[in-house]
Every structure is written in structure tokens, then in C-alpha cells.
């Protein structure tokens, strides 16, 4: 099936540093989403992107929908200890068998972020 | 939290036994989904529902069945559990119109 390549797999940084992660696909996507998952909980939506080139911020988080519609990135500025967790990208492919009326998504494998105080 | 309750939150059972996981939502969302999460695989879609009594398979549906008799409840059944079905299972909900999915807190299922 279709897959998203998410990188890096993990990051170990110092508090205050900026973070960047990205997702790429071989297919065109209509929607890109970024989620964060804390231990023992479900993923929580951070940012949703709907148009190629769109740049959206949510506090210290900024995400962009790539102009080719095949990639997206997430930046976190001035990281803090509570940013620790797993970050997932997800996309809704434009191919006929996905998305559309059912909002089905493809997920990346996640980026584990560790922040040292 | 998006008004999604998964039950049970944890379950340990033996190979060959039937298992049913429940997802209950209070948001009146039309679409509901079941995922499993395993290390190195991210979230993979098992089954989804696009309305009451309307369901379809996802990418990893073998060994699983679902039912949706009411808008608020989506059940996932393992008819005869196998050790390969040990995983964390997440339910998600969404509304029509290209809207994002929102997730419950998961069920950790261990099959011995």
C-alpha cells in the first residue's frame, strides 16, 4: 500500500533548540496533518493543511504543505520539555481509493522527540 | 478529548479466544475508524465505517470484523485472537468534508 516516509526517526535535543521534521510521499496528497502522541494516549491533532504551499502556525509550531503536494514539514521553535513525544504526519491521498468521502488517511511511522532540560 | 471513549483500556487474553473492543463517541460524527499501532509501522487502518451499518476494509483487515448498529458505537471483533494481534488499538472519528480525524486514548491488547 501507499506509505509516507517520515524523518528523522528520532531526535535528541537540548531545551531551547529548534526542531524540524518532514514527510514525503511518492503520491500526491490533498491534505496533510500533523499529530502528537504522548505515552499512553491517542494522537492529538496539531496542524491541518489543505492547500499546496500553505504555511500554518500553532504557537511555536509551524507546518507547510509542499508545493509539489508530495511533502510536508513541521518545525518546532524553542523546544521545551513538554514537547517530548512522538510526532506523526498523515496525509489524504488524491488517488481514487482513498480520501474523498471517507477522509481515510495514510500515516508516517513517527518521529520520537526527546528534549533534555 | 474529542468525546471518544474506548473500552476496555487494557486487556490480556489467550490465543483462540474472541475479543471485542468498543469505541463510543458523543460527537455524532459520521465516520469512524479502527487502527492498530505497532513499533515501526505507525498507525494502520483495520476497518472503517461511513455510516450506520456501512463499513469497509482497511489495509490490515484480515482476522478482524466490525459492526456499527448505532452512530455512536463502533465495535471491533477478533473472532479468534492470535499473538500477532497483540497491539495498541485506536479508534478515530471524523466528519464529511475533508475533515481531520480525532482519536481515542487506545486499548492495549495482549494475546498470550
Amino acid at each position: 500500500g501507499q506509505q509516507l516516509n517520515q524523518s528523522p526517526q528520532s531526535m535528541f535535543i537540548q531545551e531551547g533548540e529548534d526542531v524540524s521534521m518532514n514527510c514525503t510521499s511518492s503520491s500526491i496528497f490533498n491534505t496533510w496533518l500533523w499529530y502528537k502522541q504522548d505515552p499512553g494516549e491517542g494522537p492529538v491533532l496539531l496542524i491541518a493543511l489543505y492547500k499546496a504551499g500553505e504555511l500554518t502556525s500553532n504557537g511555536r509550531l509551524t507546518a507547510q504543505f509542499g508545493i509539489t503536494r508530495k511533502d510536508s514539514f513541521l518545525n518546532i521553535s524553542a523546544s521545551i520539555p513538554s514537547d517530548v513525544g512522538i510526532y506523526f504526519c498523515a496525509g489524504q491521498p488524491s488517488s481514487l481509493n482513498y480520501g474523498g468521502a471517507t477522509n481515510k488517511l495514510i500515516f508516517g511511522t513517527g518521529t520520537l522527540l526527546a528534549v533534555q532540560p | 478529548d474529542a468525546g471518544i471513549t474506548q473500552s476496555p483500556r487494557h486487556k490480556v487474553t489467550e490465543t483462540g479466544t474472541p475479543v471485542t473492543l468498543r469505541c463510543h463517541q458523543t460527537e455524532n460524527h459520521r465516520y469512524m475508524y479502527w487502527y492498530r499501532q505497532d513499533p515501526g509501522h505507525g498507525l494502520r487502518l483495520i476497518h472503517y465505517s461511513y455510516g450506520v451499518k456501512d463499513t469497509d476494509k482497511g489495509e490490515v483487515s484480515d482476522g478482524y470484523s466490525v459492526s456499527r448498529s448505532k452512530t455512536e458505537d463502533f465495535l471491533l471483533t477478533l473472532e479468534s485472537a492470535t499473538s500477532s494481534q497483540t497491539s495498541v488499538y485506536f479508534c478515530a472519528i471524523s466528519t464529511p468534508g475533508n475533515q481531520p480525524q480525532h482519536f481515542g486514548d487506545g486499548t492495549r491488547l495482549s494475546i498470550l
Side-chain angles (χ1 to χ4, degrees), chain A residues 39-113:
Chain A
E41 299 183 10
V44 174
L45 182 68
L46 298 173
I47 293 178
L49 302 160
Y50 297 102
K51 291 193 296 187
E54 181 180 355
L55 185 71
T56 298
S57 293
N58 178 6
R60 293 178 295 106
L61 278 62
T62 302
Q64 185 160 28
F65 192 139
I67 58 173
T68 65
R69 297 173 63 194
K70 293 183 178 181
D71 60 354
S72 177
F73 73 76
L74 175 70
N75 286 344
I76 305 173
S77 62
S79 60
I80 60 178
S82 62
D83 290 335
V84 166
I86 303 176
Y87 292 79
F88 289 98
C89 63
Q92 186 181 101
S94 64
S95 58
L96 290 177
N97 291 328
Y98 277 89
T102 60
N103 298 346
K104 289 196 291 183
L105 298 173
I106 303 293
F107 282 82
T109 52
T111 295
L112 173 64
L113 178 61

Side-chain angles (χ1 to χ4, degrees), chain B residues 11-111:
Chain B
K11 186 173 182 66
V12 180
T13 190
E14 295 183 346
T15 301
T17 60
V19 177
T20 295
L21 308 183
R22 180 184 185 228
C23 178
H24 178 78
Q25 58 141 333
T26 58
E27 306 295 322
N28 200 35
H29 282 7
R30 179 177 170 184
Y31 301 145
M32 298 185 76
Y33 314 81
W34 276 109
Y35 291 89
R36 61 178 290 172
Q37 185 176 37
D38 304 290
H41 289 280
L43 287 150
R44 293 182 292 175
L45 184 65
I46 304 172
H47 282 280
Y48 65 98
S49 170
Y50 46 96
V52 173
K53 291 185 169 44
D54 291 325
T55 65
D56 205 349
K57 296 178 180 180
E59 64 175 306
V60 291
S61 59
D62 287 348
Y64 302 95
S65 62
V66 290
S67 66
R68 191 166 178 204
S69 59
K70 300 185 288 185
T71 297
E72 57 265 37
D73 288 326
F74 193 31
L75 303 180
L76 176 71
T77 297
L78 292 65
E79 299 290 348
S80 178
T82 68
S83 58
S84 65
Q85 294 175 311
T86 291
S87 186
V88 182
Y89 290 86
F90 287 98
C91 172
I93 64 175
S94 181
T95 53
N98 209 27
Q99 295 302 304
Q101 296 178 20
H102 298 278
F103 287 82
D105 282 337
T107 293
R108 184 172 296 275
L109 178 62
S110 297
I111 300 163

